[in-house]
Amino acid sequence: MSDGALILLIFGAGLVGFATERIRHDLVALLMLAASVLLGLVPAAEAFAGFGDPAVITVAAVMVLSAAVSRSGMLERLLRPLQPLLSREAGIGIVYALLTGAASSVMNNVGALALLLPAALGSCRAAHVSPSRVLMPMAFASLLGGLVTMIGTPPNILLAQMRADLGGTAFAMFDFARVGLPLAVVGIAMTLLLVRLLPVRAERDEQPLKFRIADYLFELRVPDGVSPDLTVERLAATMQGTDQLEVHAIDRGGLLVTAPRASRRLLPGDIVQVEGRAAVVEQALNRWGLQIVSEAEDDLLAGAFAEFVVTDGSPLAGNPAASDMLAGQTAALVAVSRRGKAIAEALAAQAPQAGDVLLLQVAADRVPALAATMGLLPLADRPIRLGLAPRDLLPLLALLAAIAAAGAGLTSLGLALLLGVIVLALAGRLPADAYRDIDWPVILLLAALIPVATAFGQSSIAGELAAGLSNLGEGRPAWLLVGGVLAVTMAVTPFLNNAAAVLIMAPIAASAGQASGVPVDAMLMAVGVGASCDFLTPIGHQSNVLVWGPGGYQFGDYARIGAPISLMVLLLGTPLILWAWS
C-alpha cells in the first residue's frame, strides 16, 4: 500500500475516533501519531516535533494571556457601554460575533478571538447564558473576518506575495474585501441562526453544584460618573425575567433609606444593599459600573473568593464584630446568605448565625488556616466571579502589544505571545498555578497531529491531487475550475494548517489557471477563501480549538453548523470570485 493510501487510512480512522467520542480526543491523536511512526510515515526523530511547533506555542500562550485578561476585569470595563445589549442571549451572540469579525479583519484571527473570549465568557455567566450559544459564532466570525483584508490571516499575506512572484503586483490591503466582506456578513448571520439548533451545553470543566445557595446579601457603592438614569427599579431589573435583585436599603451619607421607592435615583456615594445571585450582581457591576463595598485593599486578592458555612462553635457566630475579626485574618466579608431569610443589618454590623454561608474575599492559600481559626466549613470550589473595580491594565496591554508586534511583522505571533507571558510573570501578574489555565489535552492533541499532517502534505497523494486538478480545467467552464479549487482547498485545510494549505494549493491552482485560461487571480482567491474557511472540525484551526472546551462542544457539533456555512461559501464564493477577478 502506498504512503498516500496509508496516510488517508490513518486520517479516516482518526476522524471516526474523533466523531464517535468513545476515546479521548488527545488519545486518538496520539494513536494516529503512533501508527504513522510505526508505518514509517513519520520518522521517529520527528515524532515529537509538534511540541515545538509555533501553532502549539501560540495556543498555549493565548490560553495563559486570555485567562490573565479575564482576571483583570478590564475588558468588562471597556465594554460597559454595550452592557445594555448583553442581557440576553441574542444580544450577546450578535455583539461578540460582530466585534470578533471586525477585529479579525485587522489583526490575527486567533489574537482577535483571544482578546474577546474572556469578556464573552463573563457576559455569558452574568446573563446566565450557555457559552455554547456564543463561542462557535465567535470562532467562525474570526475566520470569516480574516477574509476581508490582506493582514486578516496569514494565507492572505502568502497569496499577496505569490501574486507578485508570478509577475504581477501584490494584492492590496482591501482587494480581498470584494469577496470576503459579503461572505463574512452572510456567514456570521448564518452561524448565529444555526447555532441555536445545537443542544445547550455547559463548559466542559464546569462542575454541577451539589446544592443551591440562597441569594446573597451584597453592599454596592455608586461611584462618580454613574449613569444619571440609574434608579432602584433599573438596578433591580438588571436581568430580565424573574431573576432580579431586591434592593433593601440605601445609605446616603449616613442617612439610611429602607425599602426605597422604585423611582428613587441612585447618586454617587450611595451604598446600596441588594440581595440576589452572585451572577446577577456581577451583571449589575459590569452594566452600571458599581463597586463592591467590602472589596479588600490588597490587589492580590482580586477575584480570590471562597465560600464557608458558619459552624456552631465558630467565634463568628452571634458576634457583631465578625467583620473586624475576619479583617484581622486578611479576609473580607463580601456577602451573606441565610437560607432565604431576610437580613436587615449592614454587612459591617453582621452577627453571623450558625448555618449562614459567607462569601469571603481571601487568598487561596489562606483558606485552610482561616477555616481552622474561625471554625468555618469551606465549601467545594466553584467559580465565583465578580466584576470588581479593575486596576490592572498590564495583561490587556501585553496581549495587545503581542498582537501589534506580530501584525507589524516584528516577530511571529507565537513568540510575541510568549514574550507577553514572560512579562506578566516577571511583573508578578500570573498566579503560581498559571499553568492550570492551559488546556493540556488540547495542546497534546495539536502536538500529536502536526507531524501526521506534515506526512500528509509530503505523501504521493499531494502530487495526485495536483494532476487531477489540472486535468479538471481542460475544456471546462471557469466556474467549475474555480469552484473545484475552492472545494479541494476547503477539504484539505482540516488536515493541514491554513498556511500549509496555501503553500501546497496555490502553485497547483495557478498552474491549472494558466493551462485553462482561467484568470490566475481568481484561482489564487479561491485558494485563499478555501484555506480560511475551516468550519467542519475543531482541530483544523486554532480558533476552533480555543472555543472547543469552554463552549462544551462535541466533535460533531462543528460539522452540523460548519457544513451549511461551507456550502454557502462554495455556492456564493464561486460567483463572487469570478465577478471580482475575471
Side-chain angles (χ1 to χ4, degrees):
M1 187 178 294
S2 67
D3 289 353
L6 286 174
I7 201 69
L8 285 179
L9 181 62
I10 290 173
F11 267 109
L15 289 176
V16 170
F18 288 133
T20 57
E21 298 191 330
R22 293 184 179 275
I23 305 176
R24 286 174 39 172
H25 296 144
D26 51 338
L27 182 55
V28 172
L30 288 172
L31 288 171
M32 293 173 65
L33 176 61
S36 299
V37 173
L38 292 175
L39 292 172
L41 302 174
V42 173
E46 299 176 10
F48 304 111
F51 288 94
D53 190 275
V56 175
I57 303 301
T58 298
V59 170
V62 160
M63 290 174 177
V64 174
L65 282 176
S66 177
V69 171
S70 179
R71 285 189 293 267
S72 76
M74 284 305 304
L75 275 183
E76 286 82 354
R77 186 176 186 179
L78 295 175
L79 294 174
R80 189 170 294 153
L82 298 176
Q83 287 299 326
L85 303 175
L86 302 178
S87 60
R88 296 187 179 183
E89 177 183 306
I92 295 173
I94 292 171
V95 166
Y96 281 107
L98 292 178
L99 287 176
T100 305
S104 67
S105 68
V106 294
M107 65 173 63
N108 181 277
N109 40 30
V110 179
L113 178 60
L115 182 65
L116 292 165
L117 185 58
L121 288 172
S123 295
C124 288
R125 287 189 294 266
H128 212 50
V129 170
S130 170
S132 64
R133 299 295 202 196
V134 176
L135 299 192
M136 189 178 291
M138 288 180 65
F140 286 5
S142 74
L143 302 183
L144 291 163
L147 297 173
V148 178
T149 67
M150 184 186 71
I151 64 173
T153 184
N156 290 358
I157 299 174
L158 292 173
L159 286 171
Q161 184 58 46
M162 287 185 176
R163 189 195 197 201
D165 293 342
L166 290 171
T169 57
F171 288 118
M173 174 69 77
F174 296 104
D175 282 350
F176 296 85
R178 305 181 198 178
V179 176
L181 185 58
L183 290 178
V185 172
V186 176
I188 291 173
M190 286 184 63
T191 307
L192 288 168
L193 292 173
L194 291 172
V195 77
R196 302 180 68 86
L197 300 178
L198 292 179
V200 175
R201 297 194 176 99
E203 297 181 47
R204 286 184 185 171
D205 57 354
E206 183 177 310
Q207 298 298 323
L209 295 179
K210 304 298 183 183
F211 55 90
R212 177 180 174 84
I213 295 175
D215 290 347
Y216 274 119
L217 181 76
F218 291 86
E219 288 182 349
L220 309 180
R221 178 185 292 111
V222 182
D224 293 334
V226 73
S227 170
D229 298 326
L230 180 58
T231 62
V232 169
E233 182 179 21
R234 298 191 73 180
L235 175 59
T238 295
M239 289 185 66
Q240 303 295 322
T242 59
D243 200 359
Q244 299 190 0
L245 296 175
E246 184 175 350
V247 180
H248 289 307
I250 301 174
D251 182 348
R252 180 167 293 171
L255 178 63
L256 188 65
V257 180
T258 58
R261 66 180 184 275
S263 60
R264 179 179 287 271
R265 287 178 55 197
L266 299 179
L267 304 178
D270 284 353
I271 304 297
V272 187
Q273 190 182 76
V274 301
E275 188 174 0
R277 291 194 308 110
V280 187
V281 173
E282 180 188 15
Q283 179 78 345
L285 297 175
N286 291 333
R287 181 173 181 180
W288 303 112
L290 305 181
Q291 300 170 346
I292 294 180
V293 172
S294 53
E295 181 182 349
E297 296 297 328
D298 189 349
D299 290 350
L300 297 178
L301 293 183
F305 296 103
E307 295 169 295
F308 301 84
V309 175
V310 180
T311 65
D312 289 330
S314 171
L316 300 178
N319 191 335
S323 183
D324 292 335
M325 293 181 67
L326 289 169
Q329 298 293 322
T330 64
L333 179 62
V334 175
V336 178
S337 175
R338 186 166 294 163
R339 300 183 296 280
K341 296 180 181 179
I343 305 174
E345 301 89 353
L347 282 178
Q350 284 294 321
Q353 299 177 10
D356 283 359
V357 179
L358 308 182
L359 178 60
L360 304 182
Q361 193 174 7
V362 57
D365 58 1
R366 288 281 303 147
V367 168
L370 179 66
T373 304
M374 293 287 103
L376 302 176
L377 178 64
L379 298 179
D381 289 341
R382 65 167 179 155
I384 299 290
R385 304 174 176 91
L386 295 172
L388 300 176
R391 302 183 182 89
D392 193 2
L393 268 172
L394 187 59
L396 182 58
L397 291 178
L399 180 57
L400 290 175
I403 294 172
L410 299 178
T411 183
S412 67
L413 179 63
L415 181 56
L417 291 170
L418 184 60
L419 290 174
V421 171
I422 293 173
V423 168
L424 292 185
L426 292 176
R429 298 306 203 274
L430 295 181
D433 58 350
Y435 291 125
R436 295 181 60 183
D437 296 326
I438 299 175
D439 191 341
W440 289 108
V442 169
I443 297 300
L444 193 60
L445 178 145
L446 289 176
L449 283 184
I450 286 172
V452 183
T454 301
F456 173 83
Q458 296 173 348
S459 68
S460 59
I461 196 70
E464 295 170 4
L465 180 63
L469 189 60
S470 297
N471 293 333
L472 178 66
E474 295 181 2
R476 289 177 172 81
W479 65 264
L480 182 61
L481 186 56
V482 171
V485 169
L486 179 55
V488 171
T489 307
M490 291 174 68
V492 302
T493 298
F495 304 102
L496 307 168
N497 64 63
N498 50 11
V502 166
L503 293 173
I504 292 174
M505 290 298 303
I508 298 171
S511 298
Q514 291 170 340
S516 61
V518 176
V520 172
D521 285 349
M523 300 294 282
L524 292 178
M525 278 291 165
V527 172
V529 171
S532 297
C533 293
D534 182 11
F535 310 116
L536 297 178
T537 72
I539 62 174
H541 194 278
Q542 297 166 35
S543 290
N544 293 347
V545 172
L546 283 178
V547 303
W548 191 3
Y553 299 117
Q554 296 180 0
F555 190 90
D557 289 342
Y558 287 82
R560 294 175 195 172
I561 307 303
I565 306 298
S566 299
L567 183 61
M568 179 278 297
V569 170
L570 182 61
L571 296 180
L572 180 60
T574 299
L576 280 174
I577 290 170
L578 289 172
W579 166 76
W581 296 102
S582 290

